[in-house]
Amino acid sequence: MNKNIYMHIYNDYSAQIQSGSLSAGQKLPSENELAEAYGTSRETVRKALHMLSENGYIHKIKGKGSFVLDTQRMSFPVSGLVTFKEVSERLGRSVRTIVYENECVPSTAEIARCLQLKDLGPVWKVVRAREIEGEKIILDKDYFLTTYVPSLSIEAATNSIYEYLEQKLHLPISYAKKEISVEEVTPEDKQLLDLHDYQHIVVVRNYVYLVDTTLFQYTESRHRLDKFQFVDFARRVQN
Amino acid sequence: MNKNIYMHIYNDYSAQIQSGSLSAGQKLPSENELAEAYGTSRETVRKALHMLSENGYIHKIKGKGSFVLDTQRMSFPVSGLVTFKEVSERLGRSVRTIVYENECVPSTAEIARCLQLKDLGPVWKVVRAREIEGEKIILDKDYFLTTYVPSLSIEAATNSIYEYLEQKLHLPISYAKKEISVEEVTPEDKQLLDLHDYQHIVVVRNYVYLVDTTLFQYTESRHRLDKFQFVDFARRVQN
DNA sequence: AATCCAATCTTGTATATACAGGTTGTAAAC
DNA sequence: GTTTACAACCTGTATATACAAGATTGGATT
């Protein structure tokens, strides 16, 4: 967990801020004080503080110090790759996952394009609905390169696929691109979700890359529009 | 522009990658080579490379080097605060801004809540429509604290407000929070936009903070849903 | 020919130091 | 009393150095 010193400091303070034991506006110890407290150098402390700043936990002011930001108001996910499981656990809501499909299929032309496949090779396909408080709100359609994910158990699909991929397969997931748009509902959406009479649906296309920059997963996450929300934290310039 | 050495290196490479003179997959010089080339230290080079990595321009692999990511495929905005003017200029589309309202008004209860005002003091209100290729697609409603923005000219509202705030008023904008959701259209939306028959609209709520962490602007950007797109780049862990 | 290993690249982490420049409070000067 | 100057903090930038650890290469050994 805390392999590095700066990660240790980062985890300490991000946890304290998330839990609320450090409240908004409060001043952190100075960099020199933290360096002494953790028995390390100022540069190492600065690395941790920079990460806290980048992730919206604190705000640094030259000449004054580091101050806790209002993460309650910020809500979450504060950008970044956050899985459904992580979010639903934090929400503390009654949540259920229904697996409709979990098998190896030949890729269609569209999927091949999304995964940058040259030939129409096989892909592992997972289709799941996310039920929140009795209503099927989200339809997740995942496609994996069989090179990296030859097969997937129903248990893994029902729980967190990311947990399985990272902890069991040790796939080095590095970064992802999200595209959010609104599209017309498909017959499949109507069939697999509780859509009421909405004619449109929010589509989040997620392209996930490994550390060697190969695109190995494409996910289409289709949200009923009244339940969709996305939060993003951004800095104007680097501090 | 290039006050710092690491900013200089960052600007050099981000420009080269954006322009395409460095293409995807290409390897950057090693950190030691860059340090020598710029006549600086390795740590300074690393700061620049870290920023390029955070902003989705490059990808670092331990033991191998830094590699250019496919920013074409990434498209933009690669997260961050990107103004309408910046986006439309990059798109090269015919774009027009229509200012409906630009005046000081007493704040409503809802606006006071959004701007965290204790009393219902005055705010500077700007309402603008963005016309893209002949259709009014986006409705921007801006509210500013009069403490920081006592007034705003029609020219500033028609061009880029950010440009005016940062370059003329020298307001130290620091960070912002975006919330994206989908809501039902209001009579005002129908009146001020070319909405066709859409019953819903994408609402991007933008809370902009200064370096002293005071919230000074609240913006509601209302997009016709067929034209809305948001792109986000995220790293799983820090590299 | 295949395997192993050491040398040598690369990036990642950590430390110590120096100075620039913003912020604040205090003491001296007016 | 008000202003000015300064010292003592703070963070920001930059440099030099050291070692750890992943990647690659080529040569020696098997």
PDB file of all heavy atoms in Angstrom, chain B residues 129-162:
ATOM      1  N   ALA B 129     -26.050  33.349 -25.980  1.00  0.00           N
ATOM      2  CA  ALA B 129     -26.263  32.145 -26.785  1.00  0.00           C
ATOM      3  C   ALA B 129     -25.076  31.985 -27.718  1.00  0.00           C
ATOM      4  O   ALA B 129     -24.504  32.963 -28.194  1.00  0.00           O
ATOM      5  CB  ALA B 129     -27.553  32.246 -27.580  1.00  0.00           C
ATOM      6  N   ARG B 130     -24.727  30.732 -27.960  1.00  0.00           N
ATOM      7  CA  ARG B 130     -23.628  30.435 -28.878  1.00  0.00           C
ATOM      8  C   ARG B 130     -24.228  29.847 -30.135  1.00  0.00           C
ATOM      9  O   ARG B 130     -24.860  28.783 -30.078  1.00  0.00           O
ATOM     10  CB  ARG B 130     -22.679  29.426 -28.261  1.00  0.00           C
ATOM     11  CG  ARG B 130     -22.299  29.731 -26.846  1.00  0.00           C
ATOM     12  CD  ARG B 130     -21.563  31.024 -26.710  1.00  0.00           C
ATOM     13  NE  ARG B 130     -20.790  31.057 -25.482  1.00  0.00           N
ATOM     14  CZ  ARG B 130     -19.775  31.875 -25.273  1.00  0.00           C
ATOM     15  NH1 ARG B 130     -19.423  32.747 -26.215  1.00  0.00           N
ATOM     16  NH2 ARG B 130     -19.128  31.841 -24.132  1.00  0.00           N
ATOM     17  N   GLU B 131     -24.019  30.520 -31.242  1.00  0.00           N
ATOM     18  CA  GLU B 131     -24.571  30.058 -32.508  1.00  0.00           C
ATOM     19  C   GLU B 131     -23.481  29.390 -33.323  1.00  0.00           C
ATOM     20  O   GLU B 131     -22.463  30.005 -33.635  1.00  0.00           O
ATOM     21  CB  GLU B 131     -25.162  31.249 -33.282  1.00  0.00           C
ATOM     22  CG  GLU B 131     -26.021  30.854 -34.453  1.00  0.00           C
ATOM     23  CD  GLU B 131     -26.548  32.080 -35.177  1.00  0.00           C
ATOM     24  OE1 GLU B 131     -25.829  32.591 -36.065  1.00  0.00           O
ATOM     25  OE2 GLU B 131     -27.653  32.537 -34.849  1.00  0.00           O
ATOM     26  N   ILE B 132     -23.684  28.128 -33.662  1.00  0.00           N
ATOM     27  CA  ILE B 132     -22.706  27.385 -34.449  1.00  0.00           C
ATOM     28  C   ILE B 132     -23.357  27.003 -35.765  1.00  0.00           C
ATOM     29  O   ILE B 132     -24.371  26.310 -35.785  1.00  0.00           O
ATOM     30  CB  ILE B 132     -22.229  26.130 -33.698  1.00  0.00           C
ATOM     31  CG1 ILE B 132     -21.634  26.531 -32.345  1.00  0.00           C
ATOM     32  CG2 ILE B 132     -21.193  25.386 -34.523  1.00  0.00           C
ATOM     33  CD1 ILE B 132     -21.267  25.367 -31.465  1.00  0.00           C
ATOM     34  N   GLU B 133     -22.772  27.478 -36.839  1.00  0.00           N
ATOM     35  CA  GLU B 133     -23.291  27.213 -38.186  1.00  0.00           C
ATOM     36  C   GLU B 133     -24.794  27.496 -38.284  1.00  0.00           C
ATOM     37  O   GLU B 133     -25.572  26.671 -38.755  1.00  0.00           O
ATOM     38  CB  GLU B 133     -22.941  25.787 -38.614  1.00  0.00           C
ATOM     39  CG  GLU B 133     -21.463  25.692 -38.971  1.00  0.00           C
ATOM     40  CD  GLU B 133     -20.955  24.268 -39.069  1.00  0.00           C
ATOM     41  OE1 GLU B 133     -21.682  23.355 -38.655  1.00  0.00           O
ATOM     42  OE2 GLU B 133     -19.833  24.074 -39.567  1.00  0.00           O
ATOM     43  N   GLY B 134     -25.147  28.689 -37.792  1.00  0.00           N
ATOM     44  CA  GLY B 134     -26.517  29.167 -37.987  1.00  0.00           C
ATOM     45  C   GLY B 134     -27.533  28.727 -36.946  1.00  0.00           C
ATOM     46  O   GLY B 134     -28.665  29.189 -36.968  1.00  0.00           O
ATOM     47  N   GLU B 135     -27.121  27.823 -36.020  1.00  0.00           N
ATOM     48  CA  GLU B 135     -28.074  27.359 -35.021  1.00  0.00           C
ATOM     49  C   GLU B 135     -27.614  27.731 -33.615  1.00  0.00           C
ATOM     50  O   GLU B 135     -26.452  27.509 -33.258  1.00  0.00           O
ATOM     51  CB  GLU B 135     -28.251  25.840 -35.119  1.00  0.00           C
ATOM     52  CG  GLU B 135     -29.153  25.403 -36.245  1.00  0.00           C
ATOM     53  CD  GLU B 135     -29.499  23.934 -36.124  1.00  0.00           C
ATOM     54  OE1 GLU B 135     -28.546  23.126 -36.026  1.00  0.00           O
ATOM     55  OE2 GLU B 135     -30.683  23.588 -36.113  1.00  0.00           O
ATOM     56  N   LYS B 136     -28.540  28.258 -32.839  1.00  0.00           N
ATOM     57  CA  LYS B 136     -28.204  28.611 -31.449  1.00  0.00           C
ATOM     58  C   LYS B 136     -28.227  27.328 -30.610  1.00  0.00           C
ATOM     59  O   LYS B 136     -29.282  26.756 -30.345  1.00  0.00           O
ATOM     60  CB  LYS B 136     -29.200  29.647 -30.925  1.00  0.00           C
ATOM     61  CG  LYS B 136     -29.069  30.991 -31.627  1.00  0.00           C
ATOM     62  CD  LYS B 136     -29.821  32.102 -30.946  1.00  0.00           C
ATOM     63  CE  LYS B 136     -31.308  32.084 -31.303  1.00  0.00           C
ATOM     64  NZ  LYS B 136     -31.580  32.375 -32.724  1.00  0.00           N
ATOM     65  N   ILE B 137     -27.060  26.857 -30.237  1.00  0.00           N
ATOM     66  CA  ILE B 137     -26.873  25.537 -29.645  1.00  0.00           C
ATOM     67  C   ILE B 137     -26.690  25.586 -28.143  1.00  0.00           C
ATOM     68  O   ILE B 137     -27.177  24.726 -27.419  1.00  0.00           O
ATOM     69  CB  ILE B 137     -25.605  24.872 -30.259  1.00  0.00           C
ATOM     70  CG1 ILE B 137     -25.759  24.739 -31.761  1.00  0.00           C
ATOM     71  CG2 ILE B 137     -25.327  23.538 -29.613  1.00  0.00           C
ATOM     72  CD1 ILE B 137     -26.778  23.749 -32.187  1.00  0.00           C
ATOM     73  N   ILE B 138     -25.960  26.597 -27.670  1.00  0.00           N
ATOM     74  CA  ILE B 138     -25.567  26.649 -26.258  1.00  0.00           C
ATOM     75  C   ILE B 138     -26.055  27.941 -25.624  1.00  0.00           C
ATOM     76  O   ILE B 138     -25.940  29.016 -26.216  1.00  0.00           O
ATOM     77  CB  ILE B 138     -24.033  26.564 -26.115  1.00  0.00           C
ATOM     78  CG1 ILE B 138     -23.491  25.326 -26.839  1.00  0.00           C
ATOM     79  CG2 ILE B 138     -23.635  26.534 -24.642  1.00  0.00           C
ATOM     80  CD1 ILE B 138     -21.985  25.294 -26.947  1.00  0.00           C
ATOM     81  N   LEU B 139     -26.598  27.810 -24.410  1.00  0.00           N
ATOM     82  CA  LEU B 139     -26.998  28.982 -23.635  1.00  0.00           C
ATOM     83  C   LEU B 139     -26.093  29.079 -22.413  1.00  0.00           C
ATOM     84  O   LEU B 139     -26.080  28.180 -21.572  1.00  0.00           O
ATOM     85  CB  LEU B 139     -28.460  28.866 -23.200  1.00  0.00           C
ATOM     86  CG  LEU B 139     -29.037  30.071 -22.461  1.00  0.00           C
ATOM     87  CD1 LEU B 139     -29.095  31.284 -23.383  1.00  0.00           C
ATOM     88  CD2 LEU B 139     -30.420  29.764 -21.907  1.00  0.00           C
ATOM     89  N   ASP B 140     -25.309  30.167 -22.343  1.00  0.00           N
ATOM     90  CA  ASP B 140     -24.402  30.368 -21.217  1.00  0.00           C
ATOM     91  C   ASP B 140     -24.954  31.424 -20.287  1.00  0.00           C
ATOM     92  O   ASP B 140     -25.184  32.567 -20.705  1.00  0.00           O
ATOM     93  CB  ASP B 140     -23.015  30.825 -21.719  1.00  0.00           C
ATOM     94  CG  ASP B 140     -22.139  29.652 -22.124  1.00  0.00           C
ATOM     95  OD1 ASP B 140     -22.503  28.507 -21.804  1.00  0.00           O
ATOM     96  OD2 ASP B 140     -21.095  29.884 -22.761  1.00  0.00           O
ATOM     97  N   LYS B 141     -25.151  31.044 -19.028  1.00  0.00           N
ATOM     98  CA  LYS B 141     -25.598  32.014 -18.028  1.00  0.00           C
ATOM     99  C   LYS B 141     -24.506  32.169 -16.981  1.00  0.00           C
ATOM    100  O   LYS B 141     -24.236  31.233 -16.222  1.00  0.00           O
ATOM    101  CB  LYS B 141     -26.906  31.531 -17.390  1.00  0.00           C
ATOM    102  CG  LYS B 141     -28.033  31.365 -18.407  1.00  0.00           C
ATOM    103  CD  LYS B 141     -29.235  30.638 -17.823  1.00  0.00           C
ATOM    104  CE  LYS B 141     -30.012  31.507 -16.892  1.00  0.00           C
ATOM    105  NZ  LYS B 141     -31.280  30.831 -16.449  1.00  0.00           N
ATOM    106  N   ASP B 142     -23.867  33.339 -16.952  1.00  0.00           N
ATOM    107  CA  ASP B 142     -22.751  33.595 -16.044  1.00  0.00           C
ATOM    108  C   ASP B 142     -23.181  34.527 -14.925  1.00  0.00           C
ATOM    109  O   ASP B 142     -23.886  35.505 -15.163  1.00  0.00           O
ATOM    110  CB  ASP B 142     -21.578  34.251 -16.798  1.00  0.00           C
ATOM    111  CG  ASP B 142     -20.952  33.326 -17.822  1.00  0.00           C
ATOM    112  OD1 ASP B 142     -21.534  33.198 -18.913  1.00  0.00           O
ATOM    113  OD2 ASP B 142     -19.897  32.740 -17.534  1.00  0.00           O
ATOM    114  N   TYR B 143     -22.719  34.239 -13.724  1.00  0.00           N
ATOM    115  CA  TYR B 143     -22.958  35.114 -12.574  1.00  0.00           C
ATOM    116  C   TYR B 143     -21.625  35.377 -11.882  1.00  0.00           C
ATOM    117  O   TYR B 143     -20.913  34.432 -11.525  1.00  0.00           O
ATOM    118  CB  TYR B 143     -23.927  34.465 -11.587  1.00  0.00           C
ATOM    119  CG  TYR B 143     -25.260  34.106 -12.204  1.00  0.00           C
ATOM    120  CD1 TYR B 143     -25.459  32.864 -12.790  1.00  0.00           C
ATOM    121  CD2 TYR B 143     -26.308  35.025 -12.207  1.00  0.00           C
ATOM    122  CE1 TYR B 143     -26.674  32.536 -13.367  1.00  0.00           C
ATOM    123  CE2 TYR B 143     -27.535  34.704 -12.775  1.00  0.00           C
ATOM    124  CZ  TYR B 143     -27.709  33.457 -13.353  1.00  0.00           C
ATOM    125  OH  TYR B 143     -28.907  33.127 -13.931  1.00  0.00           O
ATOM    126  N   PHE B 144     -21.298  36.670 -11.693  1.00  0.00           N
ATOM    127  CA  PHE B 144     -20.027  37.037 -11.068  1.00  0.00           C
ATOM    128  C   PHE B 144     -20.254  37.819  -9.789  1.00  0.00           C
ATOM    129  O   PHE B 144     -21.204  38.597  -9.685  1.00  0.00           O
ATOM    130  CB  PHE B 144     -19.202  37.918 -12.011  1.00  0.00           C
ATOM    131  CG  PHE B 144     -18.882  37.284 -13.321  1.00  0.00           C
ATOM    132  CD1 PHE B 144     -19.723  37.447 -14.414  1.00  0.00           C
ATOM    133  CD2 PHE B 144     -17.734  36.523 -13.466  1.00  0.00           C
ATOM    134  CE1 PHE B 144     -19.428  36.866 -15.628  1.00  0.00           C
ATOM    135  CE2 PHE B 144     -17.438  35.941 -14.682  1.00  0.00           C
ATOM    136  CZ  PHE B 144     -18.286  36.108 -15.762  1.00  0.00           C
ATOM    137  N   LEU B 145     -19.377  37.630  -8.811  1.00  0.00           N
ATOM    138  CA  LEU B 145     -19.401  38.473  -7.620  1.00  0.00           C
ATOM    139  C   LEU B 145     -19.022  39.892  -8.030  1.00  0.00           C
ATOM    140  O   LEU B 145     -18.001  40.105  -8.679  1.00  0.00           O
ATOM    141  CB  LEU B 145     -18.390  37.968  -6.588  1.00  0.00           C
ATOM    142  CG  LEU B 145     -18.714  36.696  -5.816  1.00  0.00           C
ATOM    143  CD1 LEU B 145     -17.771  36.576  -4.623  1.00  0.00           C
ATOM    144  CD2 LEU B 145     -20.143  36.672  -5.347  1.00  0.00           C
ATOM    145  N   THR B 146     -19.833  40.876  -7.632  1.00  0.00           N
ATOM    146  CA  THR B 146     -19.532  42.257  -8.014  1.00  0.00           C
ATOM    147  C   THR B 146     -18.280  42.780  -7.320  1.00  0.00           C
ATOM    148  O   THR B 146     -17.687  43.757  -7.755  1.00  0.00           O
ATOM    149  CB  THR B 146     -20.731  43.175  -7.683  1.00  0.00           C
ATOM    150  OG1 THR B 146     -21.151  42.909  -6.350  1.00  0.00           O
ATOM    151  CG2 THR B 146     -21.866  42.940  -8.649  1.00  0.00           C
ATOM    152  N   THR B 147     -17.876  42.107  -6.241  1.00  0.00           N
ATOM    153  CA  THR B 147     -16.628  42.479  -5.578  1.00  0.00           C
ATOM    154  C   THR B 147     -15.453  42.414  -6.552  1.00  0.00           C
ATOM    155  O   THR B 147     -14.553  43.248  -6.530  1.00  0.00           O
ATOM    156  CB  THR B 147     -16.343  41.506  -4.415  1.00  0.00           C
ATOM    157  OG1 THR B 147     -17.569  41.189  -3.765  1.00  0.00           O
ATOM    158  CG2 THR B 147     -15.361  42.109  -3.438  1.00  0.00           C
ATOM    159  N   TYR B 148     -15.491  41.388  -7.407  1.00  0.00           N
ATOM    160  CA  TYR B 148     -14.369  41.182  -8.319  1.00  0.00           C
ATOM    161  C   TYR B 148     -14.668  41.687  -9.726  1.00  0.00           C
ATOM    162  O   TYR B 148     -13.780  42.122 -10.442  1.00  0.00           O
ATOM    163  CB  TYR B 148     -14.002  39.694  -8.369  1.00  0.00           C
ATOM    164  CG  TYR B 148     -13.552  39.163  -7.050  1.00  0.00           C
ATOM    165  CD1 TYR B 148     -14.415  38.444  -6.231  1.00  0.00           C
ATOM    166  CD2 TYR B 148     -12.260  39.413  -6.592  1.00  0.00           C
ATOM    167  CE1 TYR B 148     -14.005  37.966  -4.994  1.00  0.00           C
ATOM    168  CE2 TYR B 148     -11.844  38.944  -5.356  1.00  0.00           C
ATOM    169  CZ  TYR B 148     -12.716  38.228  -4.567  1.00  0.00           C
ATOM    170  OH  TYR B 148     -12.309  37.767  -3.352  1.00  0.00           O
ATOM    171  N   VAL B 149     -15.933  41.577 -10.130  1.00  0.00           N
ATOM    172  CA  VAL B 149     -16.326  42.028 -11.467  1.00  0.00           C
ATOM    173  C   VAL B 149     -17.428  43.080 -11.305  1.00  0.00           C
ATOM    174  O   VAL B 149     -18.609  42.756 -11.343  1.00  0.00           O
ATOM    175  CB  VAL B 149     -16.834  40.847 -12.319  1.00  0.00           C
ATOM    176  CG1 VAL B 149     -17.114  41.303 -13.749  1.00  0.00           C
ATOM    177  CG2 VAL B 149     -15.830  39.710 -12.316  1.00  0.00           C
ATOM    178  N   PRO B 150     -17.047  44.357 -11.099  1.00  0.00           N
ATOM    179  CA  PRO B 150     -18.061  45.393 -10.887  1.00  0.00           C
ATOM    180  C   PRO B 150     -18.884  45.642 -12.138  1.00  0.00           C
ATOM    181  O   PRO B 150     -20.067  45.978 -12.053  1.00  0.00           O
ATOM    182  CB  PRO B 150     -17.231  46.616 -10.500  1.00  0.00           C
ATOM    183  CG  PRO B 150     -15.860  46.349 -10.999  1.00  0.00           C
ATOM    184  CD  PRO B 150     -15.675  44.877 -10.989  1.00  0.00           C
ATOM    185  N   SER B 151     -18.278  45.502 -13.299  1.00  0.00           N
ATOM    186  CA  SER B 151     -19.031  45.660 -14.547  1.00  0.00           C
ATOM    187  C   SER B 151     -18.294  44.983 -15.683  1.00  0.00           C
ATOM    188  O   SER B 151     -17.134  44.619 -15.556  1.00  0.00           O
ATOM    189  CB  SER B 151     -19.236  47.140 -14.869  1.00  0.00           C
ATOM    190  OG  SER B 151     -18.060  47.655 -15.448  1.00  0.00           O
ATOM    191  N   LEU B 152     -19.005  44.845 -16.811  1.00  0.00           N
ATOM    192  CA  LEU B 152     -18.446  44.110 -17.935  1.00  0.00           C
ATOM    193  C   LEU B 152     -18.961  44.770 -19.212  1.00  0.00           C
ATOM    194  O   LEU B 152     -20.156  45.034 -19.348  1.00  0.00           O
ATOM    195  CB  LEU B 152     -18.924  42.655 -17.864  1.00  0.00           C
ATOM    196  CG  LEU B 152     -18.020  41.547 -18.351  1.00  0.00           C
ATOM    197  CD1 LEU B 152     -16.686  41.594 -17.626  1.00  0.00           C
ATOM    198  CD2 LEU B 152     -18.674  40.203 -18.103  1.00  0.00           C
ATOM    199  N   SER B 153     -18.053  45.043 -20.142  1.00  0.00           N
ATOM    200  CA  SER B 153     -18.482  45.674 -21.392  1.00  0.00           C
ATOM    201  C   SER B 153     -19.101  44.638 -22.325  1.00  0.00           C
ATOM    202  O   SER B 153     -18.863  43.440 -22.194  1.00  0.00           O
ATOM    203  CB  SER B 153     -17.283  46.321 -22.085  1.00  0.00           C
ATOM    204  OG  SER B 153     -16.416  45.315 -22.559  1.00  0.00           O
ATOM    205  N   ILE B 154     -19.920  45.132 -23.247  1.00  0.00           N
ATOM    206  CA  ILE B 154     -20.527  44.241 -24.240  1.00  0.00           C
ATOM    207  C   ILE B 154     -19.440  43.552 -25.063  1.00  0.00           C
ATOM    208  O   ILE B 154     -19.555  42.378 -25.413  1.00  0.00           O
ATOM    209  CB  ILE B 154     -21.472  45.045 -25.179  1.00  0.00           C
ATOM    210  CG1 ILE B 154     -22.721  45.468 -24.409  1.00  0.00           C
ATOM    211  CG2 ILE B 154     -21.876  44.226 -26.395  1.00  0.00           C
ATOM    212  CD1 ILE B 154     -23.727  44.353 -24.199  1.00  0.00           C
ATOM    213  N   GLU B 155     -18.350  44.270 -25.339  1.00  0.00           N
ATOM    214  CA  GLU B 155     -17.248  43.685 -26.131  1.00  0.00           C
ATOM    215  C   GLU B 155     -16.664  42.479 -25.402  1.00  0.00           C
ATOM    216  O   GLU B 155     -16.422  41.434 -26.000  1.00  0.00           O
ATOM    217  CB  GLU B 155     -16.144  44.724 -26.366  1.00  0.00           C
ATOM    218  CG  GLU B 155     -16.530  45.858 -27.298  1.00  0.00           C
ATOM    219  CD  GLU B 155     -17.454  46.860 -26.612  1.00  0.00           C
ATOM    220  OE1 GLU B 155     -17.218  47.170 -25.426  1.00  0.00           O
ATOM    221  OE2 GLU B 155     -18.444  47.279 -27.249  1.00  0.00           O
ATOM    222  N   ALA B 156     -16.409  42.648 -24.090  1.00  0.00           N
ATOM    223  CA  ALA B 156     -15.834  41.550 -23.317  1.00  0.00           C
ATOM    224  C   ALA B 156     -16.780  40.353 -23.310  1.00  0.00           C
ATOM    225  O   ALA B 156     -16.351  39.203 -23.448  1.00  0.00           O
ATOM    226  CB  ALA B 156     -15.553  41.992 -21.882  1.00  0.00           C
ATOM    227  N   ALA B 157     -18.079  40.620 -23.168  1.00  0.00           N
ATOM    228  CA  ALA B 157     -19.060  39.534 -23.136  1.00  0.00           C
ATOM    229  C   ALA B 157     -19.158  38.835 -24.488  1.00  0.00           C
ATOM    230  O   ALA B 157     -19.357  37.629 -24.565  1.00  0.00           O
ATOM    231  CB  ALA B 157     -20.423  40.064 -22.723  1.00  0.00           C
ATOM    232  N   THR B 158     -19.011  39.610 -25.558  1.00  0.00           N
ATOM    233  CA  THR B 158     -19.113  39.033 -26.903  1.00  0.00           C
ATOM    234  C   THR B 158     -17.879  38.195 -27.226  1.00  0.00           C
ATOM    235  O   THR B 158     -17.980  37.146 -27.849  1.00  0.00           O
ATOM    236  CB  THR B 158     -19.276  40.144 -27.952  1.00  0.00           C
ATOM    237  OG1 THR B 158     -20.332  41.007 -27.537  1.00  0.00           O
ATOM    238  CG2 THR B 158     -19.594  39.552 -29.317  1.00  0.00           C
ATOM    239  N   ASN B 159     -16.715  38.684 -26.828  1.00  0.00           N
ATOM    240  CA  ASN B 159     -15.498  37.894 -27.049  1.00  0.00           C
ATOM    241  C   ASN B 159     -15.336  36.911 -25.910  1.00  0.00           C
ATOM    242  O   ASN B 159     -16.283  36.230 -25.565  1.00  0.00           O
ATOM    243  CB  ASN B 159     -14.298  38.836 -27.170  1.00  0.00           C
ATOM    244  CG  ASN B 159     -14.427  39.740 -28.378  1.00  0.00           C
ATOM    245  OD1 ASN B 159     -14.745  39.275 -29.470  1.00  0.00           O
ATOM    246  ND2 ASN B 159     -14.225  41.021 -28.160  1.00  0.00           N
ATOM    247  N   SER B 160     -14.151  36.826 -25.327  1.00  0.00           N
ATOM    248  CA  SER B 160     -13.941  35.873 -24.244  1.00  0.00           C
ATOM    249  C   SER B 160     -13.908  36.601 -22.917  1.00  0.00           C
ATOM    250  O   SER B 160     -13.077  37.476 -22.689  1.00  0.00           O
ATOM    251  CB  SER B 160     -12.629  35.121 -24.456  1.00  0.00           C
ATOM    252  OG  SER B 160     -12.360  34.309 -23.345  1.00  0.00           O
ATOM    253  N   ILE B 161     -14.821  36.221 -22.024  1.00  0.00           N
ATOM    254  CA  ILE B 161     -14.839  36.838 -20.700  1.00  0.00           C
ATOM    255  C   ILE B 161     -13.573  36.475 -19.935  1.00  0.00           C
ATOM    256  O   ILE B 161     -12.991  37.299 -19.253  1.00  0.00           O
ATOM    257  CB  ILE B 161     -16.100  36.407 -19.915  1.00  0.00           C
ATOM    258  CG1 ILE B 161     -17.345  37.014 -20.574  1.00  0.00           C
ATOM    259  CG2 ILE B 161     -16.013  36.855 -18.467  1.00  0.00           C
ATOM    260  CD1 ILE B 161     -18.631  36.757 -19.813  1.00  0.00           C
ATOM    261  N   TYR B 162     -13.125  35.223 -20.105  1.00  0.00           N
ATOM    262  CA  TYR B 162     -11.927  34.798 -19.414  1.00  0.00           C
ATOM    263  C   TYR B 162     -10.722  35.646 -19.781  1.00  0.00           C
ATOM    264  O   TYR B 162      -9.932  36.037 -18.932  1.00  0.00           O
ATOM    265  CB  TYR B 162     -11.616  33.324 -19.705  1.00  0.00           C
ATOM    266  CG  TYR B 162     -12.173  32.425 -18.639  1.00  0.00           C
ATOM    267  CD1 TYR B 162     -13.328  31.697 -18.865  1.00  0.00           C
ATOM    268  CD2 TYR B 162     -11.565  32.327 -17.406  1.00  0.00           C
ATOM    269  CE1 TYR B 162     -13.866  30.897 -17.881  1.00  0.00           C
ATOM    270  CE2 TYR B 162     -12.086  31.530 -16.417  1.00  0.00           C
ATOM    271  CZ  TYR B 162     -13.232  30.810 -16.662  1.00  0.00           C
ATOM    272  OH  TYR B 162     -13.762  30.023 -15.687  1.00  0.00           O
TER     273      TYR B 162
END
